[in-house]
Amino acid sequence: MDRAWIGATLSFLVAATLVVSTASAADVKDVRLWRAPDHTRVVFDLTGPADHKLMVLSNPSRIVLDVEDTRLRTDFSDLKLDNTPIRQVRSGVRDGDDLRVVLDISAAVDPRSFALKANDQAGDRLVLDLYDKGTQASKPVVKKSATAAGKRDIIIAIDAGHGGEDPGALGPGKRREKDVVLAISKEIHRLFKADSGFTPTLIRSGDYYISLKGRRDLARKRKADLFVSIHADAFTRKEANGASVYALSTRGATSTAARYLAQRENAADLVGGVSLSDKDDMLAGVLADLSMTSTLDASLQVGSQVLGHMGGVARLHKKNVEQAGFAVLKSPDIPSILVETGFISNPGEAKKLSTPSYQKKMARAIHAGIKNYLIAHPPSGTLIAYNKAQGGAEYTIARGDTLSGIAQRFNVSLASLKSANGIDGSKIMVGQKLTIPAT
């Protein structure tokens, strides 16, 4: 009787173990790949968490991932391996239940892997980053160009939000924020590239992920004079609409919507396996101590100019520049703004934001606002500052401008401003260009 009871108990334990083992097994349901300027990222979408090991083998060069108790439910045939160090990707079964993925490598790389837990936007993922080494990765050349007057260009860092496996906000018709903002950012880049005295640089030039801190670091490395991050908003109610401009707040968000948005955008850094909370203490402390700095003041001023020009293109969600704790704006030495071009969660705005003509209109408005501010307040040592001192500055009137306000902004008398432009009264029009007399 005892033997029968023991046998039945053992059978139950074995069956229970098998059930647990089966329940904990994971599937690879999709594999995605992105190429960035300095690395290649491969993302394995999993149906559940799974432990893995990374190995580097030579002769021939291979990267091996062993994923425990996992099955491959997709294939690698759709992966675009052009312009990557990966020649091919193979897979096999190891030790009965484990998945082995082998990447044949054609160039020297520094591999790093990490797991990401499931969240509201995505399931469990295994991420493999292959950082280029041995050869100089293609980086945008940012020059502070010499001029006849020996002055440099103003450098504008244009940051298209999200990218890669982080699509940002999603709108109707499978519209993705990362695609819309990259198109607008490229148009802003094109406009500034055609301007004398300005050199633009794209923080993200393709469909790949950059951490929020990494975006700030790239702007500083390229010696940017101004940082503008382009986004497309989303909210739980599809009726929400309108464009917005944000600057950093050292005291937290200025409205419920700003708080909600800041939390949503900052959470995107978790996609890259980065935690800002334990890496940004010093910077956060500096910003907390600097309640009013010239950088924040400049951010608010340029934001106001951009908002004024955007008002001629889109309905504004708020009439004033809002302030929130966006991590991407935390550069203490670079004036920085975040532009929400509209609500991609709103069907009407999503449709407009996806059209090239509207993207160009929005880009022109952002470009005009930034340019007008920098012509009025050029960084020292730049060609624009030199031209302003010689009386060669030009200003495009935005909505809400007055002649007296423009005169005060450029530190010139109202009489001299009127005289330089042949104005008798006080009537001016949006889009009208004014010559700013020398101070």
Side-chain angles (χ1 to χ4, degrees), residues 247-252 254 283-300 323-324 332:
L248 181 67
S249 170
T250 58
R251 300 180 300 277
T254 54
L283 185 56
V286 170
L287 289 169
D289 292 336
L290 301 176
S291 59
M292 278 302 291
T293 66
S294 59
T295 300
L296 182 54
D297 183 55
S299 300
L300 290 168
Q323 293 178 253

Side-chain angles (χ1 to χ4, degrees), residues 169-235:
L170 301 175
K174 297 183 178 179
R175 295 178 175 96
R176 303 182 300 185
E177 179 182 2
K178 67 174 183 177
D179 300 327
V180 169
V181 300
L182 181 59
I184 294 172
S185 296
K186 285 183 175 180
E187 181 63 17
I188 297 171
H189 181 275
R190 187 190 69 79
L191 292 169
F192 271 116
K193 197 171 183 181
D195 289 331
S196 175
F198 292 91
T199 294
T201 178
L202 285 168
I203 297 298
R204 176 172 74 87
S205 58
D207 187 14
Y208 50 86
Y209 178 82
I210 305 176
S211 73
L212 301 176
K213 181 178 182 298
R215 295 167 192 261
R216 303 193 311 256
D217 291 345
L218 282 173
R220 179 169 290 105
K221 190 178 295 182
R222 298 175 189 177
K223 300 181 180 178
D225 295 293
L226 182 80
F227 177 91
V228 53
S229 190
I230 309 298
H231 290 259
D233 214 339
F235 201 64

Side-chain angles (χ1 to χ4, degrees), residues 3 7 23 35 64 97 99 103 110 114 145 168 220 252 297 322 339 426:
R3 286 182 180 178
R35 176 63 187 169
V64 177
D97 298 314
L99 171 66
L103 294 87
D110 178 17
F114 55 90
S145 61
R220 179 169 290 105
D297 183 55
E322 293 199 82
V339 178
S426 59

Side-chain angles (χ1 to χ4, degrees), residues 254-266:
T254 54
S255 70
T256 302
R259 269 196 303 274
Y260 169 83
L261 185 58
Q263 290 166 359
R264 180 175 63 81
E265 298 292 359
N266 291 352

